[in-house]
Amino acid sequence: MGVQQLLSRKAGVIVGKDVHRVLDYARQNQLALPSINVTTSSTIVAVLEAARDAKSPIIIQFTHIGAACFAGQGVSNTDQSASIAGSIAAAHYIRAIAPSYGIPVILHTDHCAKKLLPWLNGMLDADEAYFEIHNEPLFSSHMVDLSEEPIKSNIEITAQYLKRAAAINQWLEMEIGITGGEEDGANNEGVDKASLYTQSEDILRIHHALSPISPHFSIAAGFGNVHGLYMPGNVILRPELLGKHQAYVQAATSSNVKPIFFVFHGGSGSTKKEYLDAIGHGVVKVNMDTDTQFAYCSGIRDYIINWKDYISTTVGNPDGAEKPNKKHFDPRVWVREGEKAMYRRVYEALEDFNSVGSL
């Protein structure tokens, strides 16, 4: 049985129990969904196309900077206003277009550190307003990332946000253990390497604190993860730690299944075996940004290089001095090349994470 048969909403943005059903299906069947950072309607389309053709659910997410980009890079982001407006606009756009692709879509927002909580608060205000009208939140889920804070504070503040999310039937992701490197303003390049590895005792503390509030939460636990690309050998991933965390919590709670939904951050440059090992230990969501950004850029880059003699002037090219070039410099042509390249990278990820054909 495919996951689509388990859902009350078969296509478009899903929420609440449907999100839980998709992620539980992934956990039981040892697959994970790529969670792709997007910035524009064009990158959104590339992701949706790949998932449609792969016959898989997909997760689409924004960082606060990606959301501000969707609002327009000429808009002031004082008090996270552009990030809030861009996130809400993107959510409505994705809700409008996603059903056309015939797949379930989890609409998510990425890393929200303590200094960015006004962004999350603004989106939750929009979620609650949407819930009043439609009996569901605008977004499927959010991430609150307080991994730089003391563990006690991290858990307490996350619990407050989970209570707010639970009231509108929404999923929440949290992070414990720092993801190294840098991504969209989240810079942890100089952290102590020991902080990249989460302890089992902390996972259990989180489970005890959050599970009485709602079952709809996931944990981005550190097992050596680093944002961005890196040379082989510079990062030591230990996905087996996730298996130890699962066993530790399972024993403490007498659970018959893997009790934790894990998230894999900072996966760029990881081997397929590292991905599959992590998925085998309960990873259901794998964040992707660097790889897909490069893919999108490479499609446009290659087009510009290969057709430079046809886009340097409005008229005149190697085929003739009077030949028009509009069909070559039309943005619909070269933007599409970026979409196609990003499509291929997303499809590759869906294959690597065992998600192809899961509908």
Side-chain angles (χ1 to χ4, degrees):
M1 178 186 294
V3 67
Q4 207 165 31
Q5 298 177 56
L6 304 175
L7 305 181
S8 60
R9 181 176 297 161
K10 310 298 183 185
V13 172
I14 61 172
V15 298
K17 290 183 179 179
D18 277 346
V19 174
H20 197 284
R21 290 179 185 118
V22 167
L23 298 181
D24 191 49
Y25 181 92
R27 184 173 58 178
Q28 290 182 34
N29 290 275
Q30 296 202 13
L31 62 91
L33 298 182
S35 189
I36 311 298
N37 281 83
V38 294
T39 53
T40 63
S41 60
S42 176
T43 53
I44 292 167
V45 163
V47 176
L48 289 171
E49 279 193 51
R52 177 199 64 194
D53 293 353
K55 295 180 172 57
S56 171
I58 195 70
I59 304 173
I60 296 177
Q61 65 183 25
F62 284 84
T63 64
H64 74 290
I65 294 178
C69 179
F70 198 91
Q73 295 187 71
V75 177
S76 169
N77 202 19
T78 302
D79 298 326
Q80 300 298 318
S81 57
S83 294
I84 295 168
S87 298
I88 294 169
H92 284 289
Y93 170 75
I94 293 169
R95 276 186 168 274
I97 200 67
S100 300
Y101 290 83
I103 56 169
V105 175
I106 296 174
L107 176 55
H108 180 68
T109 60
D110 202 9
H111 293 278
C112 181
K114 190 173 184 179
K115 65 183 179 182
L116 300 177
L117 287 177
W119 171 48
L120 179 56
N121 292 334
M123 291 187 293
L124 284 169
D125 289 343
D127 282 316
E128 290 161 349
Y130 195 88
F131 187 89
E132 285 295 316
I133 300 171
H134 303 283
N135 200 35
E136 63 180 60
L138 179 61
F139 295 86
S140 310
S141 62
H142 295 295
M143 179 189 185
V144 55
D145 177 7
L146 302 173
S147 56
E148 296 180 355
E149 308 303 318
I151 293 174
K152 184 175 184 290
S153 178
N154 182 351
I155 295 174
E156 288 176 352
I157 297 173
T158 298
Q160 293 171 13
Y161 277 100
L162 184 58
K163 289 176 184 177
R164 192 172 175 185
I168 53 175
N169 206 17
Q170 188 175 59
W171 191 275
L172 190 71
E173 177 184 330
M174 64 89 68
E175 182 164 348
I176 185 77
I178 292 173
T179 301
E182 189 277 333
E183 178 185 65
D184 269 7
N187 193 325
N188 294 318
E189 293 176 304
V191 299
D192 181 355
K193 289 186 178 180
S195 65
L196 303 180
Y197 301 94
T198 303
Q199 302 302 308
S200 295
E201 292 83 358
D202 293 332
I203 299 296
L204 182 60
R205 285 178 64 186
I206 293 165
H207 186 270
H208 281 329
L210 300 188
S211 57
I213 300 171
S214 170
H216 301 328
F217 70 92
S218 51
I219 302 174
F223 55 99
N225 321 56
V226 174
H227 284 134
L229 289 170
Y230 41 82
M231 294 297 292
N234 286 355
V235 173
I236 301 174
L237 290 178
R238 297 185 59 196
E240 73 276 5
L241 292 177
L242 300 179
K244 292 181 179 180
H245 301 334
Q246 294 280 19
Y248 188 85
V249 177
Q250 198 166 7
T253 59
S254 301
S255 173
N256 294 322
V257 297
K258 294 186 182 76
I260 306 297
F261 293 97
F262 280 125
V263 177
F264 190 151
H265 282 241
S268 296
S270 300
T271 66
K272 184 174 180 179
K273 183 180 184 305
E274 287 170 331
Y275 282 128
L276 292 178
D277 285 349
I279 290 167
H281 295 308
V283 162
V284 295
K285 172 179 178 280
V286 180
N287 283 18
M288 294 192 71
D289 187 19
T290 304
D291 286 356
T292 48
Q293 283 182 342
F294 182 77
Y296 189 92
C297 177
S298 69
I300 297 174
R301 176 202 65 205
D302 292 347
Y303 180 84
I304 297 298
I305 291 171
N306 294 332
W307 292 91
K308 63 182 178 62
D309 293 333
Y310 292 81
I311 61 174
S312 298
T313 59
T314 56
V315 177
N317 59 50
D319 297 331
E322 297 182 356
K323 293 288 186 179
N325 292 320
K326 188 178 187 308
K327 67 179 181 180
H328 300 294
F329 61 71
D330 186 328
R332 289 171 294 183
V333 177
W334 49 267
V335 166
R336 182 58 178 162
E337 295 304 311
E339 292 172 358
K340 290 192 289 188
M342 185 171 174
Y343 165 104
R344 291 189 291 270
R345 185 63 188 89
V346 174
Y347 197 103
E348 179 186 348
L350 289 160
E351 289 180 318
D352 287 347
F353 305 159
N354 295 332
S355 190
V356 172
S358 57
L359 289 185

